[in-house]
């Protein structure tokens, strides 16, 4: 406005106009420079994924014989360091950010935010499962593939004797860890001990054991309760709230440092994975249609349905929103772990998408734990694909049962030791398929895992955006108090 008035009032000689023109070109230039500068790391990380794939491919072509495990380990080394750094942030980050975010909200508002988030998680996960089922039933990837799979060796499935009920009860047990320090490294699981004269699994002896793996569900639960309690304590709770707030800020600063090496880390992670693939021909061969079905479902759900829900709820541009998350999405693809990506997702949400930090730090850790749209879609498709290969006709009741278990499995995955296999077995169990069938799809699982992780992270991010939009006014009122 001032420049405009200035030019109107002054005599408009050619010289001055030229100068103004030069200035606008100049600002445009700096704008582009700024844009590249601020997005440089993102651009580099996304290129890291592509370069990693290329490097891996070229190295494979480079020589006839297979790369040894040791050589793959060397290529993976820097990627592994990056992953370890990210993982070290998770525990302090989720505990401190959940506690401080919930403590800074008043109880009724955090309740409202939680309800909104949970409604979103549930709706989108059910949507994902339905899309998956529709696709796998129309494409019928299992009927197209030649059925030589019967001859496959059922090795390495490592199945153990569990019932779905036991798995679900373990989940609930893990919600309440008896020892918080132990919960940082171990979780409980039920073991059934076969008795010699009993074939019926229900009469076996029941035992429990602790297995390695962070009991994230228990820690999330405890942090949420702690946050609510500190909010209730009022004045007296302030010191601890400050403590956790500082901790959470500090973790975000360390995250920024780790992000600086993400392009290199992601590149080596992807390159080493491409190097170690056993039978790449499966991707275009027998499992090709299955792969395309899952990928199609993931793209349809993640790039059309969820953005559409976001657009309808917030009337904001979903494309820009996804673009702002690119760094997190590339890391999700590189690490195939939504928990390792969590620190970066929080940073992208707060800094690029301007999500209120109370919402981002409250909703995201919970989303990373229970909201896995990609996983739910994948498990439903996989179960039906296997049934198709085995020529088992599924009734509508079966399909409903698969939807329910796939949804439950994706919600509970973080609370189940060795989740990948166990949740898949749970879903297969509902259709009466044996656990060994999982071996059919293992060949392409490593790649599909990366794609579904991207969608898991994206679903969490859009959820935070929607919850933030719906809670904006209340958040403003609460911060003005
Ligand atoms: C995928 F909240 C956090 F960030 F602290 C958190 C920590 C750990 C959240 C979740 C977990 C966790 O243990 N998650 C988990 C996820 C455990 C076992 C299996 C899975 C499923 O993982 C996805 C999949 O395989 O489809 C995917 N790789 O989103 O990480």
């Amino acid at each position: 406005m001032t420049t405009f008035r200035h030019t109107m009032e002054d005599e408009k000689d050619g010289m001055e106009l030229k100068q103004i023109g030069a200035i606008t070109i100049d600002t445009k230039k700096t704008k582009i420079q700024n844009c590249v500068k601020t997005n440089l790391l993102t651009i580099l990380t996304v290129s890291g994924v592509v370069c990693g794939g290329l490097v891996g491919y070229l190295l494979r072509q480079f020589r006839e014989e297979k790369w040894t495990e040791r050589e793959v380990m060397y290529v993976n080394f820097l990627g592994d360091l990056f992953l370890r750094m990210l993982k070290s942030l998770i525990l302090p980050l989720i505990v401190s950010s959940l506690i401080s975010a919930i403590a800074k909200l008043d109880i009724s508002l955090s309740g409202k935010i939680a309800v909104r988030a949970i409604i979103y998680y549930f709706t989108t996960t059910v949507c994902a499962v339905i899309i998956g089922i529709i696709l796998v039933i129309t494409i019928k990837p299992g009927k197209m593939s030649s059925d030589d799979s019967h001859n496959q060796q059922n090795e390495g499935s490592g199945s153990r004797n569990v019932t779905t009920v036991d798995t679900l009860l373990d989940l609930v047990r893990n919600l309440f860890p008896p020892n918080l320090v132990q919960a940082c490294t171990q979780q409980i699981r039920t073991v059934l001990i076969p008795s010699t004269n009993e074939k019926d699994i229900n009469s076996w002896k029941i035992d429990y054991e602790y297995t390695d793996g962070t009991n994230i569900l228990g820690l999330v639960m405890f942090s949420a309760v702690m946050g609510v309690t500190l909010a209730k304590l009022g004045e007296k709770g302030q010191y601890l709230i400050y403590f956790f707030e500082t901790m959470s800020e500090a973790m975000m600063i360390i995250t920024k440092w780790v992000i600086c090496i993400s392009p290199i880390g992601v590149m080596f992670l992807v390159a080493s994975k491409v190097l170690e693939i056993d039978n790449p021909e499966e991707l275009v061969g027998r499992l090709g249609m299955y792969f395309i079905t899952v990928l199609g479902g993931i793209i349809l759900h993640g790039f059309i349905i969820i953005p559409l829900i976001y657009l309808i709820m917030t009337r904001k541009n979903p494309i820009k929103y996804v673009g702002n998350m690119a760094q997190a999405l590339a890391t999700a693809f590189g690490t195939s772990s939504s928990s390792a990506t969590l620190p970066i997702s929080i940073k992208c949400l707060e800094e690029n998408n301007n999500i209120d930090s109370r919402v981002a730090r409250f909703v995201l850790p919970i989303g990373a734990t229970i909201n896995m749209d990609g996983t739910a879609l994948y498990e439903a498709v996989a179960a039906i694909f296997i049934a198709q290969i085995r020529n088992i006709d599924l009734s509508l009741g079966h399909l409903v049962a698969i939807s329910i278990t796939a949804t439950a499995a994706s919600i509970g995955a973080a609370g189940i030791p060795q989740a990948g296999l166990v949740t898949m077995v749970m879903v297969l169990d509902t259709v009466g398929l044996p656990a060994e069938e999982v071996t059919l799809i293992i060949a392409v699982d490593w790649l599909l895992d990366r794609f579904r992780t991207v969608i898991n992270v994206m679903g969490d991010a859009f959820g935070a955006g929607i919850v933030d939009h719906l809670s904006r006014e209340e958040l403003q009122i609460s911060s003005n108090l």
Side-chain angles (χ1 to χ4, degrees), residues 182-339:
Q182 184 190 33
C184 296
T185 60
Q186 289 189 320
Q187 42 185 323
I188 199 167
R189 86 171 177 202
T190 305
V191 218
L192 297 177
I193 300 164
S195 45
T196 37
N197 45 5
E198 275 289 352
K199 279 243 150 58
D200 180 13
I201 203 168
N202 289 317
S203 339
W204 290 4
K205 207 171 138 10
I206 299 173
D207 203 0
Y208 304 97
E209 68 177 17
Y210 278 96
T211 57
D212 286 342
T214 311
N215 177 3
I216 217 70
L217 232 43
L219 292 170
V220 165
M221 179 73 160
F222 181 81
S223 307
V225 173
M226 186 74 175
V228 171
T229 316
L230 287 182
K232 257 183 158 353
L233 263 182
E235 202 46 24
K236 269 194 278 180
Q238 280 305 320
Y239 296 105
L240 261 190
I241 296 178
Y242 286 145
F243 170 83
F244 286 116
E245 239 177 278
T246 315
M247 176 98 130
S248 145
E249 289 305 324
M251 297 321 294
M252 287 318 293
I253 293 176
I254 304 179
T255 303
K256 278 188 202 162
W257 296 338
V258 177
I259 284 178
C260 292
I261 55 166
S262 62
I264 297 173
V266 165
M267 192 187 100
F268 283 109
L269 280 173
V270 174
S272 69
K273 198 69 220 180
V274 171
L275 263 194
E276 87 180 7
I277 309 167
D278 261 343
N279 27 5
E281 55 285 349
E282 295 269 31
L283 265 182
V284 280
R286 210 165 42 85
L287 291 171
M289 280 320 279
Y290 164 70
F291 184 80
I292 289 171
T293 311
V294 176
L295 201 60
I298 280 176
I299 290 173
L300 190 63
H301 181 72
F303 289 88
I304 295 174
I305 305 289
I306 316 186
L308 217 59
I309 295 179
Y310 177 79
L311 180 70
I312 293 168
M313 299 295 285
T314 68
R315 317 237 160 238
K316 288 184 207 155
N317 183 356
I319 298 172
K320 213 169 132 202
Y321 197 85
V322 175
N324 286 337
M325 295 301 298
Q327 176 109 43
L329 300 180
T331 312
F333 189 87
T335 60
S336 70
S337 158
S338 37
S339 48

Side-chain angles (χ1 to χ4, degrees), residues 303 328-330 332-334 449-459:
F303 289 88
L329 300 180
F333 189 87
D449 187 10
R450 282 155 200 267
F451 286 108
R452 53 183 202 252
T453 310
V454 172
I455 295 307
N456 290 347
V457 170
M458 198 138 100

Side-chain angles (χ1 to χ4, degrees), residues 127-142:
C127 255
V129 171
I130 293 175
I131 289 174
I133 292 184
I134 292 176
L135 279 184
V136 72
I137 285 180
T138 42
I139 298 180
K140 294 197 181 65

Side-chain angles (χ1 to χ4, degrees), residues 422-433:
V422 175
T423 51
M424 198 60 239
V425 172
M426 266 170 65
V427 182
L428 289 180
D429 208 33
T430 51
V431 216
L433 288 164

